[in-house]
Amino acid sequence: SKSMAQVQEGGKQNRSEVLAAICSFMKTKIIASSDDRISIVFFSCHLTKNAVDLPFIHVYRKLDFPDASGIKELDKLAQNSATFDSTYCAWPNAPQEASLCDALSVCHNLFKEVEKFNCSRRIFLFTDNDNPNSINKNEQQKTIQRAHDLYDQNVD
């Protein structure tokens, strides 16, 4: 979202901080749990790239083992906000708010692709919006239901 691109105190953007945190997380997973798989999904961006073709949701990295080249590529993206903005967030083409329910559906679909493996499934959601889809109550209810469905399927 546009607000994720705003510069905070100290000259950093929320988005850059999130991408740096994901890089750090991936580094620890390589060392501590080499069997874990990680996917990165952007939502509310102008690119649509996902297996179920839901709009404004881009699967940047399919569910796979973390590796050094993936970390390096993501770190490079985190360091260059202009590249990130021009590639993924070309406003005004990107929506003000994409469907969080759709983003959760894309994540669920990614999990289905590897459900034959016995592993924990978690979604870490980074957003600066404490009340997503608040303007559209129907969409908000769908999102809450989708989150409950994921929880019932043992997704944390």
Side-chain angles (χ1 to χ4, degrees), residues 41-105:
V41 178
F42 300 134
F43 76 104
S44 287
C45 61
H46 79 279
L47 291 178
T48 296
K49 180 184 168 193
N50 59 79
V52 288
D53 206 29
L54 292 170
F56 310 117
I57 301 166
H58 180 84
V59 176
Y60 176 78
R61 177 188 170 88
K62 287 189 142 214
L63 202 52
D64 202 356
F65 301 108
D67 60 5
S69 64
I71 293 169
K72 201 172 180 181
E73 183 181 308
L74 188 62
D75 189 47
K76 187 175 169 184
L77 192 61
Q79 299 301 320
N80 191 341
S81 60
T83 299
F84 188 95
D85 287 348
S86 65
T87 306
Y88 300 101
C89 304
W91 296 288
N93 298 332
Q96 287 293 345
E97 185 173 63
S99 168
L100 181 55
C101 182
D102 286 352
L104 293 175
S105 294

Side-chain angles (χ1 to χ4, degrees), residues 17-34 36-40 61 63-67 71 74 120 122-124 126:
E17 293 292 305
V18 167
L19 293 174
I22 294 169
C23 286
S24 177
F25 179 75
M26 289 174 71
K27 288 174 188 173
T28 61
K29 286 299 177 182
I30 285 177
I31 296 166
S33 317
S34 60
D36 285 353
R37 297 164 193 256
I38 296 172
S39 178
I40 300 171
R61 177 188 170 88
L63 202 52
D64 202 356
F65 301 108
D67 60 5
I71 293 169
L74 188 62
S120 352
R122 292 184 185 96
I123 296 173
F124 295 94
F126 296 94

